[in-house]
Amino acid sequence: MKIELLALLENWMAGCFAYVKWYDSCSVVFNICSGVRQGAVLSPILFAIYVDDIGKLYDNKCFVLLYADDILLISASGTSLQNLLFACERELNYLDMLINSKKSCSMRIGSRYDKNCANINTCDGRQIT
C-alpha cells in the first residue's frame, strides 16, 4: 500500500508545467521542479509533513505553531525567541528553505507591550522588525 501511495504522489508531482500570464501576454511554458502544487487539496498536508520537524522545536519556554506555509514562534523572552529562531532556521536550511525576513515580524504581548525589546536577527544578520 505504501509503495502504491508513493507512486501515486510521484506521478502527481512529476511533469508539472506552468506559464505566467500578465494582462494579455503569456510567458513560455516552463517545468516546475520543486515545491507543491499551488491550490491543490493535498498541498498543505504534504507541506506540513515536509516541515513537521520544525513543530517539534520547543521547550518549556517556547512553542512553534505551523499553518500551511506560515510559522508562528512563541516565546517567554527575547533570548529564547532568538534561540528558537536560530533552531528553526537550521531546520529550514536542512530542507533548503529560508525565512523571508521582509515578510516576518516580532511583537511583544502583555503588560510590557509598549517597551522596546532586543533586536531579533536571522543567522545571517537580517533583522526581524
Side-chain angles (χ1 to χ4, degrees), residues 74-128:
I74 302 172
S75 177
S77 73
T79 301
S80 61
L81 179 61
Q82 183 67 73
N83 292 335
L84 181 60
L85 177 63
F86 286 163
C88 186
E89 279 191 287
R90 282 191 301 273
E91 187 64 33
L92 288 171
N93 285 336
Y94 176 73
L95 298 171
D96 200 23
M97 298 175 74
L98 296 172
I99 291 177
N100 186 338
S101 60
K102 293 179 182 177
K103 291 184 175 182
S104 302
C105 67
S106 64
M107 63 187 300
R108 177 178 263 174
I109 299 171
S111 60
R112 296 178 30 173
Y113 73 93
D114 58 345
K115 306 293 185 228
N116 287 337
C117 22
N119 292 335
I120 304 296
N121 298 305
T122 61
C123 290
D124 61 359
R126 293 172 289 136
Q127 185 173 345
I128 305 292

Side-chain angles (χ1 to χ4, degrees), residues 22-78:
W22 190 49
Y23 295 104
D24 294 331
S25 300
C26 295
S27 72
V28 296
V29 174
F30 56 92
N31 185 23
I32 299 174
C33 52
S34 64
V36 293
R37 288 184 170 193
Q38 191 72 22
V41 175
L42 277 179
S43 293
I45 295 167
L46 293 174
F47 187 76
I49 292 168
Y50 190 65
V51 298
D52 184 57
D53 286 343
I54 293 171
K56 298 173 185 171
L57 298 174
Y58 66 90
D59 60 24
N60 60 351
K61 296 181 183 176
C62 57
F63 300 92
V64 178
L65 300 174
L66 302 169
Y67 180 76
D69 62 347
D70 294 321
I71 301 171
L72 176 62
L73 306 177
I74 302 172
S75 177
S77 73

